[in-house]
Amino acid sequence: MEVYYNSTRSKGMQVKASEAILKGLSDDGGLFVPDKIPALDKTLRELSEMTYAETAYEVMKLYLTDFTEKELKDCIQKAYDDKFDTREIVPMAEAKGVHFLELFYGPTIAFKDMALSILPHLLTTSAKKNHVENEIVILTATSGDTGKAALAGFADVENTRIIVFYPKNGVSPIQERQMVTQKGKNTYVAGIHGNFDDAQTGVKKIFGDKELAAFMNGKGFQFSSANSINIGRLVPQIVYYVYAYAKLLKEGKIGEGERINVVVPTGNFGNILAAFYAKQMGLPLAKLICASNENKVLFDFFRTGTYDRNREFVLTTSPSMDILISSNLERLIYRLTGNCPEKNKELMDALSGSGSYRITEEMKAGLLDFYGNYADEEETADTIRDFYEEAGYVLDPHTAVAASVYQKYRKETKDETKTVIVSTASPYKFTRSVMDAIEPGHRELGDFELADALEALSGVKEPDAVSEIKEAPILHDRVCGKDEMKKVVLDILAID
Ligand SMILES: *Cc1c(COP(=O)(O)O)cnc(C)c1O
């Protein structure tokens, strides 16, 4: 059954999967959504005998219906290989009576690798299918995590180049080192004198420059983005929910048809939306528990029906969740309007105008699958310490937000349903916050020394992703002013 993609903001923009992946965003500014959610066509018992790659094929083929079997299998094989530190790709752990789905064994030790390791292959395949002959130039502005994951994903992928801009003094030492040591003949990294917003604004300006686009086209290049709203990032994220359920079934941890809860540390709402799609496909999921940090826009939204970004932006120890506009929520809102682009657009226009919107009671009734709550900084640190002391299991701060919210949920609802907490980063990515929680008093140590201290304390081996970059040579040292980004791009492409 063919699946097409519609825009959330107007009718008549329907495209095929490969076109949606190439475009990223619809021309009307909307997000692409599948015109129907396909049902799983294998039983969970059958799926329980499959590897991660096999499961990925069974799920993704239902969405990317204009890809041939060979095209899709090639993409999957290139993505989920020995770039991952474990052959299982996504192992599961158990601590204090709850299951953890560990999505941090990819090249950057965080969950964005799950999608960014396959997106480049989906994108180049989509380009071929649509007879795009230009070389694709990926431009990304990063506050730290996405940049490295995109660099690692696109490194040495044929017919692509990737250019990442980051705020020179606005990322952690480990994050910067990860990026500037990136190998690959098509990878470029530039620090800018400015903050993340400057980098983001600069990239948007380049994307919007029609004259530049025409000039580039004449030279055989076109821009694309690896943005988290691309359906090429959303679809691969559905896979691990199916895989996790099937694995629990195989191991006898749950029975046939038994429903489970999932808890997702949330920022842009992409990961938890994938869980929602998995549920719509027939996966027996009960509550989708949306965990926020002190930037609790989503918690307030689930409670009141009003989405309001007009508030102070809080810098927390779970920076990848420091977000006030959760872009992927638009896909859920669209669904709650009964797939009505006009109503959805009205709400999104209100969001970009006044910074808030309110959904109707009827729409709010459609949110029953979700439960939202949040954890403050102290609760997050306490949770890291509790899990370490009581179970010897070390959580990163993002996962700790989820574990803390889950405790609140249990207390509030007395729900005993078996539960999977989605673990989105390795504790080694945030050694300072983790060590501060477990054993404070390491002020004098640098981030890399803290990794050694964490290894000694936890007995969990330091991932190669951290040890490798300690000694790795610096390969990128470009720095530019925030108004020079376009010039840097032209320099890199040698077409100025
Ligand atoms: C991006 C990220 C999140 C948030 O995921 P969304 O899909 O944006 O909700 C949570 N944890 C970590 C470590 C991340 O990198």
Side-chain angles (χ1 to χ4, degrees):
M1 193 174 39
E2 202 75 18
V3 173
Y4 291 94
Y5 290 81
N6 293 320
S7 166
T8 52
R9 298 212 186 163
S10 61
K11 289 207 171 76
M13 308 294 284
Q14 203 170 64
V15 294
K16 291 180 181 172
S18 66
E19 295 168 308
I21 290 170
L22 269 177
K23 286 175 102 57
L25 206 64
S26 172
D27 291 335
D28 57 10
L31 275 53
F32 286 115
V33 279
D35 63 347
K36 52 187 154 303
I37 307 261
L40 287 168
D41 64 0
K42 293 280 185 306
T43 66
L44 290 161
R45 205 34 95 182
E46 285 169 318
L47 289 161
S48 74
E49 297 302 324
M50 293 186 191
T51 62
Y52 191 79
E54 288 164 345
T55 311
Y57 176 71
E58 291 303 329
V59 173
M60 291 176 66
K61 71 169 190 197
L62 300 170
Y63 286 92
L64 309 185
T65 50
D66 67 329
F67 281 59
T68 65
E69 176 171 349
K70 178 165 185 327
E71 284 169 342
L72 186 53
K73 284 188 171 165
D74 279 351
C75 291
I76 291 168
Q77 194 199 339
K78 285 178 189 155
Y80 304 115
D81 59 6
D82 57 12
K83 282 194 286 304
F84 284 75
D85 236 354
T86 152
R87 286 192 55 193
E88 274 207 277
I89 309 298
V90 291
M92 293 181 81
E94 210 175 327
K96 292 188 31 153
V98 42
H99 302 280
F100 286 87
L101 175 61
E102 299 183 335
L103 303 181
F104 55 75
Y105 287 91
T108 75
I109 56 176
F111 107 99
K112 295 200 174 53
D113 290 329
M114 298 310 303
L116 280 167
S117 53
I118 193 163
L119 179 72
H121 305 293
L122 297 175
L123 196 61
T124 48
T125 307
S126 298
K128 273 195 205 122
K129 294 178 78 62
N130 290 281
H131 311 291
V132 171
E133 284 174 6
N134 285 337
E135 191 169 336
I136 293 177
V137 181
I138 304 291
L139 283 191
T140 305
T142 184
S143 56
D145 272 354
T146 306
K148 173 62 188 185
L151 283 165
F154 279 93
D156 290 327
V157 172
E158 233 176 277
N159 229 17
T160 69
R161 302 210 199 180
I162 173 152
I163 306 175
V164 170
F165 291 99
Y166 72 96
K168 177 68 190 150
N169 298 313
V171 301
S172 82
I174 290 189
Q175 285 174 325
E176 178 170 41
R177 187 65 84 87
Q178 278 189 319
M179 290 191 278
V180 298
T181 58
Q182 177 64 48
K183 294 184 201 139
K185 58 183 188 309
N186 63 338
T187 63
Y188 307 89
V189 179
I192 68 154
H193 297 300
N195 59 26
F196 171 63
D197 276 338
D198 297 324
Q200 175 111 307
T201 307
V203 164
K204 279 195 181 148
K205 225 160 116 186
I206 297 174
F207 276 133
D209 187 335
K210 295 230 163 68
E211 216 170 290
L212 177 64
F215 176 68
M216 296 260 301
N217 190 39
K219 303 277 180 185
F221 295 105
Q222 73 187 56
F223 289 124
S224 188
S225 94
N227 201 300
S228 87
I229 44 82
N230 195 309
I231 60 132
R233 282 186 63 177
L234 187 60
V235 170
Q237 294 179 173
I238 303 170
V239 175
Y240 45 75
Y241 290 102
V242 176
Y243 181 79
Y245 186 95
K247 186 154 180 216
L248 291 175
L249 184 65
K250 182 187 170 90
E251 290 175 354
K253 304 248 164 78
I254 53 175
E256 206 86 43
E258 183 172 345
R259 300 212 303 164
I260 61 170
N261 296 328
V262 294
V263 192
V264 187
T266 296
N268 228 346
F269 210 75
N271 200 355
I272 195 165
L273 186 73
F276 178 70
Y277 279 13
K279 181 170 181 174
Q280 302 296 315
M281 293 175 80
L283 193 69
L285 299 181
K287 279 283 179 214
L288 310 176
I289 300 171
C290 175
S292 302
N293 63 24
E294 286 179 20
N295 296 290
K296 58 183 183 56
V297 193
L298 288 165
F299 165 66
D300 293 336
F301 171 68
F302 286 128
R303 210 171 32 121
T304 64
T306 295
Y307 192 97
D308 187 359
R309 63 155 301 188
N310 298 308
R311 59 183 73 207
E312 203 186 330
F313 179 82
V314 188
L315 285 173
T316 72
T317 51
S318 45
S320 302
M321 296 158 67
D322 291 345
I323 285 178
L324 294 182
I325 298 187
S326 301
S327 322
N328 269 298
L329 184 66
E330 178 170 348
R331 290 189 162 106
L332 180 65
I333 298 294
Y334 171 78
R335 210 184 149 82
L336 295 177
T337 63
N339 301 338
C340 175
E342 292 81 16
K343 273 190 206 151
N344 175 66
K345 183 171 185 312
E346 212 173 281
L347 297 172
M348 294 307 130
D349 285 347
L351 180 62
S352 56
S354 69
S356 76
Y357 61 81
R358 182 172 176 76
I359 62 171
T360 62
E361 282 306 312
E362 194 190 344
M363 284 172 71
K364 197 161 173 252
L367 288 176
L368 284 177
D369 283 329
F370 293 90
Y371 167 91
N373 214 325
Y374 74 103
D376 65 24
E377 289 291 275
E378 194 181 331
E379 290 166 331
T380 304
D382 287 349
T383 304
I384 294 175
R385 194 173 49 252
D386 283 354
F387 269 84
Y388 172 69
E389 284 175 358
E390 290 172 33
Y393 187 63
V394 185
L395 305 176
D396 100 283
H398 302 77
T399 311
V401 166
S404 174
V405 163
Y406 177 58
Q407 283 166 354
K408 287 185 187 177
Y409 172 78
R410 280 285 294 270
K411 217 167 170 184
E412 214 173 273
T413 62
K414 311 277 184 293
D415 180 7
E416 301 281 319
T417 304
K418 283 173 199 146
T419 296
V420 170
I421 295 179
V422 178
S423 186
T424 51
S426 160
Y428 279 98
K429 193 149 196 174
F430 301 96
T431 46
R432 190 166 299 277
S433 310
V434 171
M435 285 300 287
D436 278 350
I438 294 179
E439 200 183 71
H442 290 277
R443 277 286 128 74
E444 74 293 352
L445 296 184
D447 286 28
F448 285 108
E449 294 162 310
L450 280 170
D452 297 337
L454 181 58
E455 181 167 41
L457 196 83
S458 68
V460 178
K461 191 183 151 296
E462 182 178 293
D464 292 346
V466 174
S467 31
E468 272 166 12
I469 58 171
K470 279 186 196 160
E471 308 294 334
I474 308 254
L475 302 173
H476 307 270
D477 58 1
R478 247 190 207 92
V479 180
C480 69
K482 61 184 183 191
D483 300 321
E484 295 173 324
M485 290 168 59
K486 178 170 163 182
K487 186 175 170 303
V488 166
V489 170
L490 293 173
D491 267 358
I492 285 172
L493 301 177
I495 55 172
D496 50 338

